[in-house]
Amino acid sequence: MKDRLKRIAAESAAELVQDGDVVGLGTGTTARHVLQVLRERVEKEGLRITGIPTSADTRILAVKLGLRLSTLEEHPELDIAIDGADQLTRRLELIKGGGGALLREKVVANCAKRFVVVADESKLVERLKMPVPVEVLPFAWKPVELALREMGALDVRLRTGSGKAGPVMTDNGNYILDASFGEIEKPERLEAELRDITGVLECGIFCPAIVGEVHLGTRHGPRVLGQGREVK
Ligand code: 5RP
């Protein structure tokens, strides 16, 4: 069922892509649906797009699907970027980084004229409350962990994965700390505080200033949230 809702969100957002667009390609299972829908549009409509992938995982899928790719070096300004989220609110606050791609995702989102988020409706919450992924320089992970605890983190975990012993390495060669703060009352302030810690490269809080709209997949079809109001 969730997969169907992700596809609904992906179809709704992928409609926004126009011929000739440079498109930021997000990471995660919902973003994978977006790539699939874009490939279908390329085949059926002859849509010409250039994708900028936000992770190695997305790049590999895009190559497999035959999507044309480029880099931020060649295209530092994107027409649109479409990406998933782990948790989001009606006020367009997000937590991202479940797939460990938050740093490149935020760079790409910032370079895009329009940043569109896709998610199934289960991601919508009243207040952000899941642990916040924080990408850190490996050299600095311990002092950053202490700084996170000092600023009020209830728990901080160095992310580990499967298929490899030890910490997960991001595509940028860094570590991820997942820091729990309970319910986050002021995501914008927390984002600024986290980015201010020396050794932190980026955090997974995305604020309304860069989020243009959210396309939710629901049982009744797509639902679009934009800047605090429903627009579709
Ligand atoms: C990866 C992300 C993903 O967009 C986020 O984890 C959502 O993934 P999914 O669509 O698989 O639930 O931020 O870093």
Side-chain angles (χ1 to χ4, degrees):
M1 182 64 180
K2 255 196 191 166
D3 211 47
R4 200 167 69 76
L5 302 186
K6 289 177 187 185
R7 168 81 191 196
I8 289 171
E11 283 175 358
S12 172
E15 260 179 39
L16 303 173
V17 176
Q18 294 179 355
D19 196 37
D21 275 357
V22 178
V23 185
L25 304 173
T27 296
T29 53
T30 321
R32 290 173 83 87
H33 280 285
V34 175
L35 266 72
Q36 191 62 53
V37 178
L38 288 175
R39 181 238 164 102
E40 288 163 18
R41 288 195 57 196
V42 168
E43 271 178 9
K44 284 188 201 138
E45 302 166 30
L47 183 78
R48 285 161 304 170
I49 55 165
T50 303
I52 310 289
T54 52
S55 64
D57 186 55
T58 298
R59 180 172 41 74
I60 289 166
L61 177 63
V63 168
K64 193 167 154 199
L65 294 176
L67 294 174
R68 188 197 312 152
L69 297 180
S70 188
T71 61
L72 285 182
E73 241 172 337
E74 283 191 272
H75 296 284
E77 281 188 9
L78 283 65
D79 297 290
I80 185 167
I82 308 178
D83 204 345
D86 297 298
Q87 222 169 47
L88 59 99
T89 71
R90 282 186 187 78
R91 298 173 293 284
L92 306 191
E93 302 145 340
L94 319 175
I95 291 182
K96 289 183 51 52
L102 61 128
L103 175 53
R104 292 191 190 196
E105 290 174 333
K106 204 178 271 189
V107 171
V108 166
N110 267 307
C111 293
K113 288 184 202 141
R114 190 171 187 184
F115 178 50
V116 179
V117 175
V118 281
D120 68 83
E121 61 187 343
S122 70
K123 305 280 183 71
L124 184 63
V125 294
E126 195 43 52
R127 280 199 189 284
L128 299 178
K129 48 182 168 282
M130 63 176 289
V132 180
V134 180
E135 181 153 349
V136 296
L137 192 69
F139 179 72
W141 82 267
K142 196 65 193 179
V144 171
E145 181 197 333
L146 297 178
L148 290 169
R149 290 187 191 280
E150 248 170 53
M151 66 179 269
L154 309 169
D155 189 31
V156 184
R157 293 185 183 209
L158 181 61
R159 191 180 293 184
T160 54
S162 55
K164 172 191 171 290
V168 165
M169 276 262 183
T170 69
D171 289 351
N172 316 302
N174 298 313
Y175 292 170
I176 292 187
L177 292 171
D178 289 297
S180 310
F181 292 92
E183 284 203 353
I184 302 171
E185 290 207 3
K186 299 201 165 125
E188 257 155 320
R189 190 199 288 174
L190 182 59
E191 181 192 23
E193 286 174 5
L194 292 173
R195 294 169 92 181
D196 216 30
I197 301 172
T198 307
V200 167
L201 282 314
E202 194 45 89
C203 78
I205 297 177
F206 284 53
C207 284
I210 62 165
V211 182
E213 61 207 86
V214 172
H215 290 233
L216 284 179
T218 83
R219 271 152 250 255
H220 313 291
R223 178 178 164 198
V224 182
L225 312 173
Q227 303 297 3
R229 72 206 143 84
E230 300 215 1
V231 293
K232 183 167 149 187

